[in-house]
Amino acid sequence: MRTAIAFTGAMAVMVLIAGCVTTEGEYDGGSTGEEKLAGSLSELFEQALDDETNPFVIDVLDRAIETGKIAQEDYDEAHRLYRVCMSDAGYEESYEQLANGSYKIAPPALDGQEAVEEYMSVGSDCSDELAPVESLFILQQGNPDLLADPEQVVVQCLNEAGLVGADYTAEDFREDRDARFQQAPYDPMSAEAQECFSNAGFSISVGE
């Protein structure tokens, strides 16, 4: 059985090369307890706007601050710009829209580490609009309590979906993940579990 774990989105693409799993992302292991990322979504949008220079992203954030959320159509347009850029660069990715409205990216076949690194570099260059919009959009859609620990976001969602009991913890989730979910009290590939994973920014695939 093989378990592949990455983060959803353009800046965190999972690449399988010769049976190995390579992941790229900026997750630092998460926080503990009930730490919050901010007091509100609008506060996060305003913080992001302070450091933003991309005109498209600035317009999206201005609208989000006014309405209280990033609109699906704004996220979709950011993703379209990314797809066009990657296609123009010669990459044929495939995309699956998840229940939270975001897209899971499946990379093309890549031959060797050099090709992987080039692909990741191009993906980064093509994500100027998508990366900042997507990170906030996924947070908005799947983490309304703004929990700082993505693993706690998964646990809360699994509990609300009735897949685990109230005594299931983030440590339990880490242990199940490390054990490839062989003893997990739920099917990690079920639609409900997959939605919980994607809500926290994870892309988890379990197979033979």
Side-chain angles (χ1 to χ4, degrees):
M1 178 182 292
R2 181 176 65 190
T3 303
I5 302 170
F7 289 88
T8 56
M11 293 300 293
V13 179
M14 174 182 61
V15 183
L16 304 182
I17 300 293
C20 297
V21 178
T22 301
T23 63
E24 294 287 340
E26 298 178 355
Y27 175 51
D28 64 2
S31 305
T32 58
E34 296 294 322
E35 254 185 273
K36 303 279 185 164
L37 292 166
S40 67
L41 276 172
S42 293
E43 184 180 324
L44 284 178
F45 297 152
E46 289 169 356
Q47 290 172 2
L49 184 60
D50 286 342
D51 299 322
E52 189 55 61
T53 59
N54 184 286
F56 173 86
V57 179
I58 289 172
D59 285 346
V60 170
L61 291 174
D62 281 338
R63 285 192 290 273
I65 291 169
E66 183 178 345
T67 63
K69 68 177 183 178
I70 294 176
Q72 180 71 52
E73 53 264 34
D74 279 336
Y75 170 74
D76 288 344
E77 177 61 14
H79 207 280
R80 185 192 69 81
L81 293 171
Y82 166 81
R83 294 197 305 269
V84 170
C85 181
M86 292 299 285
S87 177
D88 288 348
Y91 291 106
E92 295 184 9
E93 298 175 318
S94 58
Y95 311 95
E96 175 190 356
Q97 190 163 27
L98 305 176
N100 64 6
S102 68
Y103 289 91
K104 181 178 179 179
I105 299 171
L110 299 166
D111 186 13
Q113 189 60 32
E114 184 176 346
V116 171
E117 292 174 359
E118 175 63 20
Y119 168 68
M120 297 302 295
S121 176
V122 173
S124 178
D125 291 341
C126 286
S127 298
D128 287 347
E129 291 80 19
L130 179 58
V133 172
E134 182 168 64
S135 62
L136 291 168
F137 180 79
I138 290 176
L139 182 70
Q140 160 191 295
Q141 298 296 94
N143 185 8
D145 294 329
L146 303 182
L147 298 178
D149 184 354
E151 293 172 343
Q152 189 60 41
V153 176
V154 173
V155 170
Q156 179 174 292
C157 179
L158 291 173
N159 179 265
E160 291 174 353
L163 298 180
V164 299
D167 58 346
Y168 190 83
T169 66
E171 179 61 29
D172 293 326
F173 170 68
R174 285 191 291 272
E175 291 177 356
D176 284 336
R177 182 187 62 200
D178 292 345
R180 300 179 179 179
F181 297 95
Q182 293 180 5
Q183 301 299 320
Y186 55 89
D187 177 4
M189 296 306 294
S190 69
E192 295 87 350
Q194 285 291 307
E195 181 174 357
C196 289
F197 299 152
S198 66
N199 281 350
F202 288 110
S203 176
I204 294 178
S205 179
V206 179
E208 298 298 330

